[in-house]
Amino acid sequence: MVAALVAPAVAQTRRALLVGIDKYVPGGASARVPGTRGALINLHGPINDVTALAQVLESRYGFAAANVHILTDARATRAGIIRAIRSDLIDPARRGDVCLFAFAGHGSNRYNSLSTKPGHWDQAIVPSDVLRGAAVIRDDTLDRLFKQVVAKGAVFTAFFDSCYSGAITRGLRKGGVARFAFYDLSDAHKAHTARPVTSEGGVVLSAANYDQAADEDAPGPGVTVHGHFSECLIQALLTLPANATGDQVIELTRDLMRARGWGGQHPVLEGPGSRPLFGPDARVGGPLTVEVVSTDVRTGTVVLSGGSALGFGRGSTFVRVGGGPPAELRVTSVDSLTQSTAKVVAGADVALHAGDLFAIRRWAMPPGQGLRVWLPPPISSAGLAHILLALRRLPGRVPPRSIAAPRPGAAKILEWDGAQWRLAGPAGASRDLGPRPTARQILAALGSTGSFLLADLPPTTALRGALMAQVSASNDTLVQLAPGAAAEYYLVGRTVRGNADYAWMRPSRFGMIGEPGPIGACSPDSPLPARSRWFQGAGALAAARGLRAAALRLGRIVALQSLAPPAGRDAFPYRLALQNLATGEDLRGGAARGGEEYSLLLRLANSFAGGGVPRRWIYVFTTDCGGRGQLLFPNADEGNVFNHLPSHRAEAGGSVLAQIPLGTAFQVAPPYGEDTFFLLTSEQPIEDLDVFNFGPVFPARRAASRGATSPLTELFGRLSSAELRGPAPAVSSQWSLERLHVRSEPPRAGAAANGGSR
């Protein structure tokens, strides 16, 4: 949750108290707190969350390192947290200051007979000493403390990445680890304050609704664990202008979470979302800035106080700011969340010292922006042949293609755990069947309740080995192997006419394992395709090549959805809008229906603070739910002629235009699902407009390779051809990418739809 209280004064000092708790249980096992319902476990991401947030605050939002206090684990006791709020935020606060409190860790619900919330449950954060008898810190306790900051005239912000945080200041999952500890059954028996923070001008961005869990990544080799909300919020704060409103921050955070497949956790906003999140001080914000930690004159290398938390990759360049002779650094390695190593590429004869400041000039996409896939444990060829034969002998209980999409609640899943087969029921109960079950044993396990069988076939040892070799050896930035809980797509298998087929599939769409052909390829609730095409498993090398190619095309969509360049020095103040040609209204929420026609507009953002508007090259393209990309503006035949906006004629008028029509219209047509419209703005033009046109995930054809004359053209060219190997090109920091998600649906009954381009 993020709450912003804006005082009518210019910010003076910026202070932050960041609390992250990984370790709750000594020894790492789970533990039950007396008088509660539920278990307490250790987490792996909260300290990473607050460490990364500190980097962002210091590099983009004007927080001095001396005023950013981090409290973790053993120091983050109940008394320690309350004491630090008083000493670091309340006591030194002055009118116009900006004060931030952040918490990442377990959340809880505590019973309160005087509460007016559903079930009389209050929301709370869990301190690290709860197992030693300390009480949780209720929302009302925090609210009273935070109001003391506000009463002194400071701009107050708070961030909570914990379960059920949607009501933390009001006094009101799959594929991750929930940050929820327990229900505290002891009665708090306290009435809430009459006026919560949000009623006094607060803006609240919550990690999850008051009745939702907030997840973090599952730990695994090579995984830097973060809370899902924290990871996407930090990316949004790096991308948006420093005076971005709460509405803008929550919108981009939601989009990034949906792009990573975390749409089941829904961040919410309360209060006046048009307020700047950290206050209106225009003196902060600028380009991403890092500090020199140390230098090695002998090797010409420099250690920088900025790492993966700041969202740049190897090859990014920084130039000296704040005085002193010119110098330029190129990042050679990103070493940790908070540190990277660079080499001097210009100004080698200039002395550099610890504390020198450098601002980003060119940005390279960091690793981890592409597709994360999971490979299940393999089975021998003989073991696979045995189960295929058993499935063929099942009479009638498995419809025509041997695996059917199940009826809700009626399916049982046959799955391989690496040593034996087991049959899992809809309620989570499972029955072990051994390594070589017969058809009779499978039927007996199914029982006589009419359950359908949904079989998920594992890859053979040969197929899994070939696929791992293809992904690992190719150095594809777009595809990475990951633990199951951290992956966007799983490798799944089905049986067709006695043979095994394999595809990549979203975990939430597992029931599609029985759907033949392209039907259902669009996800109803995500911009990511539900699955790839199916590939025959016979011939491990051919199947591995096909699956790798499909993964690359899926990786292209994931990368486009999560691509977030750092905000440059001059933010483009316009946002993309879709206007219904029949009604004249902008599409906001709801669905676009088949046959409806829309025009493209640029509308001036509410957060525009006045002044000049930088001219940018404008490109609008879309990806549909099946992964097809299409350029909408400018017209490909006209090229870069009418897309350098605002035009000189508009500038000559002396006023900033409230809207800029782009003169492009389109009609909604199949496939229907969740589509994404991208607004790309750049200081330099994209020479090859064909980089925005590419085929969908389903067809196996490969996009033609293209030459590139600028780094940004090269980046999008390599993304569109699904071939991004090795370090990504470093591009100017003066570009931006906005996404507008639209759900498209078939025409209403009786409505005519003539078809047309998307």
Side-chain angles (χ1 to χ4, degrees):
M1 177 274 302
V2 174
L5 295 177
V6 181
V10 175
Q12 297 170 350
T13 303
R14 296 183 167 231
R15 313 175 195 278
L17 172 61
L18 315 180
V19 181
I21 306 175
D22 287 354
K23 190 172 183 179
Y24 285 92
V25 184
S30 64
R32 188 174 298 276
V33 181
T36 69
R37 188 173 71 218
L40 188 67
I41 62 172
N42 287 334
L43 298 171
H44 297 83
I47 293 179
N48 290 338
D49 293 343
V50 297
T51 301
L53 181 60
Q55 285 268 291
V56 175
L57 296 175
E58 294 169 22
S59 65
R60 279 221 68 213
Y61 289 91
F63 286 76
N67 291 326
V68 177
H69 306 276
I70 298 179
L71 206 63
T72 62
D73 287 352
R75 296 175 57 227
T77 62
R78 174 185 170 87
I81 293 171
I82 294 175
R83 182 169 55 249
I85 293 175
R86 295 188 182 281
S87 62
D88 297 335
L89 299 181
I90 297 174
D91 293 346
R94 299 292 182 269
R95 176 165 295 279
D97 286 356
V98 172
C99 294
L100 167 70
F101 175 81
F103 176 83
H106 274 305
S108 176
N109 283 332
R110 183 177 180 184
Y111 183 73
N112 183 1
S113 58
L114 299 183
S115 174
T116 58
K117 301 176 189 177
H120 300 287
W121 291 107
D122 285 348
Q123 283 65 58
I125 61 174
V126 181
S128 64
D129 57 342
V130 69
L131 284 177
R132 300 197 299 272
V136 297
I137 306 177
R138 293 171 50 249
D139 46 17
D140 207 43
T141 300
L142 292 169
D143 197 52
R144 287 194 295 269
L145 291 168
F146 296 159
K147 284 182 178 179
Q148 294 179 53
V149 180
V150 176
K152 299 182 79 169
V155 176
F156 176 73
T157 303
F159 161 52
F160 291 80
D161 192 351
S162 54
C163 288
Y164 307 146
S165 58
I168 200 82
T169 62
R170 285 180 287 163
L172 199 203
R173 15 156 309 161
K174 179 180 235 177
V177 177
R179 292 182 172 180
F180 175 69
F182 48 75
Y183 287 89
D184 189 340
L185 305 179
S186 61
D187 190 354
H189 196 70
K190 291 184 179 179
H192 289 287
T193 55
R195 289 180 58 82
V197 168
T198 50
S199 68
E200 297 182 0
V203 177
V204 177
L205 280 70
S206 304
N209 213 332
Y210 75 92
D211 58 352
Q212 287 184 326
D215 289 343
E216 66 173 33
D217 299 326
V223 177
T224 300
V225 177
H226 283 286
H228 294 173
F229 175 70
S230 290
E231 180 174 329
C232 295
L233 174 64
I234 287 170
Q235 196 171 2
L237 293 175
L238 285 169
T239 303
L240 292 168
N243 66 343
T245 65
D247 286 332
Q248 291 174 301
V249 172
I250 193 67
E251 182 180 344
L252 181 54
T253 302
R254 287 171 181 161
D255 287 348
L256 292 169
M257 291 186 70
R258 288 166 65 82
R260 301 306 305 197
W262 301 328
Q265 179 183 327
H266 186 70
V268 295
L269 180 146
E270 294 177 281
S274 59
R275 297 272 181 90
L277 197 60
F278 290 109
D281 191 349
R283 296 173 299 173
V284 301
L288 190 69
T289 304
V290 296
E291 186 177 289
V292 172
V293 175
S294 63
T295 63
D296 187 328
V297 177
R298 182 178 56 83
T299 61
T301 58
V302 179
V303 176
L304 300 175
S305 66
S308 58
L310 298 183
F312 60 82
R314 181 163 61 94
S316 300
T317 63
F318 289 79
V319 293
R320 190 176 200 164
V321 294
E328 183 172 352
L329 308 175
R330 178 180 292 117
V331 174
T332 56
S333 65
V334 179
D335 306 319
S336 68
L337 272 175
T338 61
Q339 205 163 85
S340 56
T341 302
K343 196 168 186 65
V344 179
V345 293
D349 56 341
V350 173
L352 299 180
H353 305 92
D356 289 352
L357 297 178
F358 282 75
I360 194 164
R361 182 185 181 208
R362 292 187 174 275
W363 173 86
M365 186 173 76
Q369 296 287 301
L371 181 73
R372 293 181 289 192
V373 298
W374 177 69
L375 303 180
I379 193 171
S380 67
S381 298
L384 180 63
H386 175 89
I387 201 68
L388 288 173
L389 181 60
L391 291 173
R392 290 182 65 180
R393 291 175 174 173
L394 292 179
R397 298 296 295 279
V398 185
R401 284 184 169 259
S402 297
I403 303 176
R407 298 177 303 197
K412 292 187 177 180
I413 301 174
L414 183 66
E415 56 188 6
W416 174 254
D417 67 4
Q420 65 176 339
W421 291 94
R422 62 185 180 186
L423 194 66
S430 63
R431 179 173 174 178
D432 294 338
L433 299 179
R436 297 288 181 95
T438 64
R440 179 174 297 181
Q441 289 173 318
I442 295 173
L443 280 174
L446 277 173
S448 57
T449 59
S451 296
F452 284 87
L453 179 66
L454 185 64
D456 179 18
L457 301 181
T460 62
T461 303
L463 173 57
R464 192 179 193 275
L467 190 52
M468 288 186 67
Q470 290 259 329
V471 172
S472 301
S474 62
N475 193 26
D476 288 312
T477 305
L478 292 182
V479 180
Q480 302 170 39
L481 301 177
E488 287 99 4
Y489 285 85
Y490 289 2
L491 180 66
V492 298
R494 67 175 185 181
T495 174
V496 179
R497 294 184 294 275
N499 297 310
D501 286 356
Y502 297 93
W504 300 110
M505 186 173 293
R506 300 275 295 128
S508 61
R509 302 294 292 162
F510 190 75
M512 289 179 59
I513 202 170
E515 297 184 8
I519 300 173
C522 290
S523 296
D525 56 356
S526 171
L528 303 180
R531 64 168 174 84
S532 71
R533 60 166 290 192
W534 293 97
F535 295 88
Q536 293 183 0
L541 185 57
R545 287 172 176 166
L547 286 165
R548 173 185 169 273
L552 286 172
R553 288 189 290 273
L554 290 168
R556 170 182 61 202
I557 303 304
V558 171
L560 284 172
Q561 290 291 343
S562 57
L563 196 61
R569 62 180 181 273
D570 298 317
F572 190 69
Y574 288 90
R575 307 195 68 193
L576 181 64
L578 307 183
Q579 187 178 70
N580 189 305
L581 290 180
T583 66
E585 297 179 350
D586 288 357
L587 181 64
R588 297 184 184 279
R593 294 281 182 173
E596 292 179 343
E597 294 184 338
Y598 291 85
S599 63
L600 301 177
L601 298 173
L602 299 181
R603 291 202 185 280
L604 193 65
N606 293 332
S607 59
F608 179 61
V613 175
R615 295 188 75 195
R616 292 288 187 265
W617 295 95
I618 306 299
Y619 305 90
V620 179
F621 66 102
T622 181
T623 58
D624 64 25
C625 59
R628 180 175 68 117
Q630 182 180 0
L631 178 67
L632 298 179
F633 177 83
N635 187 302
D637 294 333
E638 296 173 344
N640 291 302
V641 177
F642 302 110
N643 61 324
H644 200 200
L645 301 173
S647 65
H648 284 302
R649 186 171 59 181
E651 292 176 343
S655 61
V656 178
L657 298 176
Q659 67 179 41
I660 303 176
L662 298 184
T664 297
F666 65 93
Q667 187 179 72
V668 179
Y672 299 119
E674 183 158 328
D675 306 330
T676 306
F677 291 79
F678 295 84
L679 170 63
L680 172 65
T681 76
S682 173
E683 200 173 48
Q684 300 295 325
I686 303 292
E687 295 89 348
D688 181 5
L689 298 185
D690 200 33
V691 300
F692 301 114
N693 297 308
F694 45 83
V697 169
F698 250 71
R701 69 180 181 86
R702 174 178 167 180
S705 60
R706 305 172 177 88
T709 56
S710 74
L712 192 59
T713 305
E714 181 186 354
L715 175 63
F716 278 87
R718 292 168 70 180
L719 285 172
S720 70
S721 62
E723 288 291 344
L724 188 58
R725 301 187 182 190
V731 301
S732 167
S733 62
Q734 298 302 308
W735 68 288
S736 64
L737 190 67
E738 177 195 346
R739 301 168 187 83
L740 181 62
H741 294 282
V742 174
R743 190 175 74 256
S744 61
E745 296 180 353
R748 291 184 176 88
N754 300 320
S757 62
R758 296 299 296 268

